[in-house]
Amino acid sequence: MSTYSNTTGKQNAGGTDERSGSVMRRLLFGQIVSSDLFARNWLALILGVFMILAYISGKYSCQTKMEEVTRLSKEYAIVNAELIRCRSRYMSRIRESSMQAMVDSLNLNLHVSENPPYRLKTDK
């Protein structure tokens, strides 16, 4: 009895074809993984499933926390910029009001200009 190969697959001594689909077929019909395997290793299988679920849960938790950190970092940057802007505006008002009070106390007859300053250019 000899074995030979053709284009459709390998033929063994019994005359049956072994193709790549036969492994899947044997798996589906319980010839590779039988219920006896599950009965003998039920504790290991339950622990394995539990570990996989714990890994998925940890990864999801980590991703949501990273998204929250990113969101809070952006919010912090916006609030910090607003703080700097408000502080600058407050400091300019304090300086302006203190200078105006000093000018008024010295009776210099000066006031804040309503028009913005402009530059004079000379023609050469």
Side-chain angles (χ1 to χ4, degrees):
M1 300 204 173
S2 66
T3 61
Y4 66 91
S5 68
N6 57 16
T7 59
T8 61
K10 293 182 180 179
Q11 186 173 6
N12 60 11
T16 60
D17 282 346
E18 291 184 24
R19 295 182 209 139
S20 61
S22 67
V23 173
M24 187 61 138
R25 182 179 174 143
R26 287 177 40 202
L27 181 68
L28 288 175
F29 287 114
Q31 293 173 349
I32 295 176
V33 179
S34 64
S35 62
D36 199 28
L37 175 76
F38 294 111
R40 283 183 281 142
N41 299 315
W42 65 272
L43 183 62
L45 290 171
I46 289 174
L47 286 175
V49 169
F50 179 75
M51 289 175 63
I52 290 171
L53 290 175
Y55 173 75
I56 291 170
S57 173
K59 188 173 181 179
Y60 174 76
S61 175
C62 181
Q63 284 179 343
T64 55
K65 299 239 188 239
M66 286 174 55
E67 289 172 0
E68 184 177 2
V69 166
T70 303
R71 181 184 59 82
L72 289 175
S73 295
K74 289 178 183 178
E75 187 176 334
Y76 172 74
I78 292 169
V79 168
N80 196 21
E82 182 68 20
L83 172 74
I84 291 171
R85 188 182 65 77
C86 289
R87 186 176 187 186
S88 172
R89 190 174 64 198
Y90 174 72
M91 294 302 279
S92 69
R93 286 182 181 173
I94 288 177
R95 284 190 216 116
E96 183 180 332
S97 61
S98 64
M99 291 298 286
Q100 187 66 38
M102 185 177 72
V103 167
D104 290 343
S105 68
L106 294 176
N107 295 326
L108 296 177
N109 199 18
L110 296 174
H111 62 280
V112 178
S113 175
E114 298 295 325
N115 298 327
Y118 55 92
R119 290 187 178 184
L120 296 175
K121 292 185 180 180
T122 58
D123 294 331
K124 290 188 180 183

